[in-house]
Amino acid sequence: MADENVTMTRFYVDYWTSEWIEQNSFPETNLNSFKLHYAHRDLGIAFSGGGTRSAACTLGQLKALNELGLLPRVKYISAVSGGGWASTPFTYTNDTDQFFGDIRDPETITETNSKTVFPKSFQSTITNASLIKHLILAGTKLKGDESFAYSLGKVFLKPYGLHDPSRYFTFNEETETLARQGFPSGYKPTFYHVRHEAPYLILGATVLNEDGIESDKKYHVEYTPFYSGVRVSHIDKDTWTSDDCFGGGYITSCGYDCIGPYNKRVIDDREHLLVKQAPVLSLDITNEKAFSLNDIIASTGAAPQEITSNIGLGALGFPEFYHIPLNTKPGDNTVAEEYPHSDGGHLENLGIMPLLARKMNKIVVFINTKKPFSPEKKVMESHINKSLKALFIPIDNLFKKEDFSTNVVFKNGKQELRKLIVQFTQKVKPGTSNKEHVATTALFAKTNLVTIENRHYGIGAGHKVEITWVYNCRSEAWEKRLKDKNLAKMISTKTPSNQVTKELENFPHYSTFFENSRGVVELTKIQTNLLTNLSYWVAKKALHGV
């Protein structure tokens, strides 16, 4: 029986090298179903990171896309961290009405109805995001590096029946059929499917490698319903041992976090790799049954993992996956190694790079930032989201030791950034000593940009793209339209006079962690509802005419 179990965990997966992709385009574009339902679509949507703050914003923004009838035009949703926490169940659930819950225009919003959330709505998952409780439970169940995935699955996926850790995920029946061809006869894996004709989802994450001459190497990984991996080839050189290879393409998603490859086999005229699910090793008492939706939402949102890795604590319950590089030298059959897979925001927190790599001509980027935009007389000194700024000009890295230029991707960056800041400034009412800056209406801007070559993300030069940037910010027009005028007054009051005012003190720029004393990422019902409603209203304004 033991030998049979080992055999059943071995299976073949398809793979696509970066060279193959360059010649033939991304794997999904060759699917019959994608050609039929997606090839004509012209919109790419990016949802930024930011924990449950961004998750609440993303919910409202998805509702706006749905209400405006734009979802059938959306080819790709690219999401990071909290944006991915909302986008994943949205993409896979068949009950979007339940998912959206009760999202309102300002004319019907009161303090009373803002204190209620519909059961199993995504607002409900945010207000019940008790990570500490679930992490403790994961510890008692000896989940190891699956602890964070177990916890997030319970919070964000269980209400929609998507949290089974032994179940794979895939795009549709076509891709499930392709995946099943590689499994042994008699073995019947199960898969979650994307909702029919829902946008193609890309979750961004970061592979951390601290080996080699230069420590703290980071590589951009994508999880999609059909395939996952690091498309761009990276080699971290070492002096005393063999170099570490990363990326070079994708493999079928069910084969990620597997050991291998062991050998190759041709299936339907395509070469496949033999892989095996990771066994129990020494003190590693977890034995994952599948690479699951729990795993990918945990990885894209594992913000603290970079810190735990840097201070020598290892994964500490955060995701560690086996990574199979496709850029090794001929004859090098090194079996995959396990690496921390952390938050997408550790490299690129807006989710725009996968859309630029796929040469989308029209993109909407939702910047669900925790700090307000603050204009200054000297335009380039204005306080603007750092992840946005980093696309145009080099910025200081975390420790301000050198410029972080990895994400610069637009031509004439300083000039184009200045134009964007001016557009934002025209819609912002300057604050005073006791009042913050507030947008007069919805804060968004539209730009026409051209890419420069960015080797880290595999983006070529000369691609022309129209981008609508939608910024998380208070809106004077929205607050004036609120039915409950006392609620509008509480939002603008910075000195808490009661519990509700205290809850709204940082609205809409809640902290990514510990906004409330009762939990790590939980938001209260009124915090969640008002942020979702504001982002919904702003998105409708920004997307009109897209």
Side-chain angles (χ1 to χ4, degrees):
M1 181 64 70
D3 291 339
E4 180 184 356
N5 286 337
V6 171
T7 302
M8 289 173 63
T9 60
R10 291 177 179 262
F11 55 97
Y12 286 88
V13 293
D14 204 348
Y15 71 99
W16 302 264
T17 64
S18 52
E19 291 81 6
W20 185 96
I21 295 165
E22 187 174 343
Q23 295 174 9
N24 299 277
S25 190
F26 287 79
E28 69 274 14
T29 63
N30 294 282
L31 296 170
N32 292 328
S33 53
F34 199 88
K35 293 175 184 177
L36 179 64
H37 297 295
Y38 294 81
H40 64 284
R41 300 187 182 194
D42 65 338
L43 271 181
I45 305 295
F47 295 112
S48 76
T52 45
R53 177 191 66 256
S54 183
C57 287
T58 300
L59 175 63
Q61 291 150 0
L62 285 167
K63 174 68 173 177
L65 285 162
N66 181 67
E67 190 170 298
L68 293 173
L70 292 174
L71 282 175
R73 286 178 52 191
V74 179
K75 181 181 287 188
Y76 295 107
I77 285 177
S78 176
V80 178
S81 194
W85 293 352
S87 299
T88 302
F90 169 76
T91 302
Y92 281 86
T93 184
N94 288 314
D95 191 346
T96 55
D97 288 339
Q98 173 187 278
F99 178 82
F100 285 135
D102 185 23
I103 300 176
R104 297 169 173 264
D105 283 313
E107 291 80 3
T108 64
I109 294 174
T110 66
E111 180 184 337
T112 300
N113 60 37
S114 294
K115 292 181 177 180
T116 302
V117 294
F118 284 11
K120 293 190 177 181
S121 66
F122 199 71
Q123 293 100 321
S124 177
T125 69
I126 292 172
T127 59
N128 292 296
S130 2
L131 280 186
I132 296 296
K133 179 184 76 174
H134 289 299
L135 284 170
I136 293 172
L137 185 58
T140 63
K141 293 188 175 185
L142 305 178
K143 293 293 182 180
D145 63 6
E146 290 281 297
S147 297
F148 194 58
Y150 169 87
S151 302
L152 288 192
K154 290 289 187 181
V155 171
F156 296 118
L157 299 178
K158 185 178 179 180
Y160 313 103
L162 300 169
H163 67 299
D164 186 348
S166 64
R167 194 167 178 176
Y168 298 103
F169 59 90
T170 192
F171 186 44
N172 54 23
E173 290 183 2
E174 182 181 5
T175 57
E176 179 177 340
T177 299
L178 292 172
R180 282 181 177 277
Q181 291 176 340
F183 284 90
S185 63
Y187 186 53
K188 298 180 179 180
T190 56
F191 294 81
Y192 291 115
H193 285 196
V194 166
R195 185 178 64 258
H196 181 58
E197 295 190 20
Y200 192 87
L201 179 65
I202 307 164
L203 291 188
T206 306
V207 179
L208 301 178
N209 176 42
E210 297 186 352
D211 295 331
I213 296 175
E214 298 181 58
S215 64
D216 199 25
K217 288 287 188 177
K218 303 174 186 176
Y219 307 111
H220 180 252
V221 61
E222 296 173 349
Y223 307 122
T224 87
F226 184 26
Y227 57 85
S228 297
V230 178
R231 176 172 52 88
V232 179
S233 176
H234 302 278
I235 298 178
D236 186 8
K237 297 186 178 298
D238 206 333
T239 302
W240 312 111
T241 59
S242 59
D243 297 339
D244 290 331
C245 294
F246 294 88
Y250 304 116
I251 65 172
T252 311
S253 287
C254 61
Y256 208 80
D257 195 23
C258 285
I259 298 175
Y262 293 98
N263 59 43
K264 299 178 179 179
R265 187 178 86 181
V266 174
I267 302 176
D268 281 354
D269 299 323
R270 281 191 57 80
E271 190 174 72
H272 286 57
L273 305 176
L274 178 63
V275 300
K276 185 179 75 171
Q277 288 173 332
V280 177
L281 298 174
S282 62
L283 297 178
D284 180 6
I285 53 180
T286 59
N287 187 15
E288 297 88 15
K289 301 298 182 184
F291 189 59
S292 67
L293 292 175
N294 298 339
D295 291 320
I296 61 175
I297 68 166
S299 175
T300 191
Q305 186 168 18
E306 185 178 25
I307 297 174
T308 63
S309 294
N310 283 339
I311 63 177
L313 294 178
L316 205 65
F318 294 108
E320 288 184 301
F321 303 142
Y322 283 90
H323 172 73
I324 298 177
L326 298 176
N327 61 343
T328 54
K329 296 177 181 178
D332 183 356
N333 297 318
T334 304
V335 175
E337 294 185 31
E338 193 172 38
Y339 294 93
H341 282 59
S342 72
D343 198 293
H346 290 153
L347 262 177
E348 200 274 295
N349 199 41
L350 297 183
I352 191 174
M353 296 302 188
L355 303 178
L356 294 175
R358 287 163 177 78
K359 296 186 177 179
M360 294 301 299
N361 295 317
K362 189 171 287 190
I363 295 173
V364 179
V365 180
F366 291 103
I367 307 163
N368 299 324
T369 177
K370 66 179 179 181
K371 293 183 179 180
F373 169 72
S374 300
E376 297 292 338
K377 290 182 180 180
K378 293 183 178 180
V379 173
M380 297 304 287
E381 293 182 4
S382 298
H383 296 281
I384 195 166
N385 180 268
K386 291 187 69 174
S387 296
L388 172 58
K389 190 175 182 180
L391 302 175
F392 295 88
I393 60 175
I395 64 172
D396 289 338
N397 68 3
L398 181 62
F399 302 104
K400 298 188 177 182
K401 292 181 179 179
E402 60 184 347
D403 285 338
F404 175 77
S405 58
T406 303
N407 289 1
V408 176
V409 73
F410 292 125
K411 186 178 180 180
N412 300 324
K414 189 172 183 179
Q415 177 183 336
E416 295 297 342
L417 179 60
R418 178 185 291 273
K419 291 179 183 178
L420 178 57
I421 292 174
V422 168
Q423 283 195 62
F424 280 149
T425 300
Q426 291 170 346
K427 295 181 179 180
V428 172
K429 186 176 180 180
T432 61
S433 59
N434 62 343
K435 288 188 177 181
E436 66 180 278
H437 302 284
V438 59
T440 53
T441 182
L443 187 56
F444 66 94
K446 187 174 292 186
T447 57
N448 289 285
L449 301 167
V450 180
T451 60
I452 59 174
E453 183 181 23
N454 185 304
R455 294 184 179 181
H456 191 89
Y457 295 94
I459 295 170
H463 174 58
K464 297 179 180 179
V465 57
E466 176 189 286
I467 303 178
T468 301
W469 310 91
V470 187
Y471 211 90
N472 181 34
C473 183
R474 277 184 54 203
S475 167
E476 184 179 58
W478 181 79
E479 291 171 20
K480 284 183 176 179
R481 285 173 169 80
L482 287 172
K483 180 177 181 180
D484 190 330
K485 301 305 177 186
N486 188 54
L487 186 58
K489 183 179 178 181
M490 284 191 283
I491 288 172
S492 62
T493 300
K494 304 307 293 182
T495 304
S497 59
N498 56 47
Q499 180 57 37
V500 173
T501 312
K502 184 177 181 181
E503 291 177 44
L504 300 178
E505 183 180 8
N506 296 325
F507 176 83
H509 301 105
Y510 308 135
S511 297
T512 306
F513 301 104
F514 303 109
E515 172 63 26
N516 300 300
S517 58
R518 68 191 187 100
V520 179
V521 296
E522 297 101 306
L523 298 177
T524 66
K525 293 177 181 178
I526 195 168
Q527 287 172 336
T528 301
N529 274 321
L530 290 182
L531 183 52
T532 299
N533 292 332
L534 171 63
S535 65
Y536 160 72
W537 183 86
V538 168
K540 285 198 298 181
K541 300 291 183 184
L543 296 171
H544 183 72
V546 168

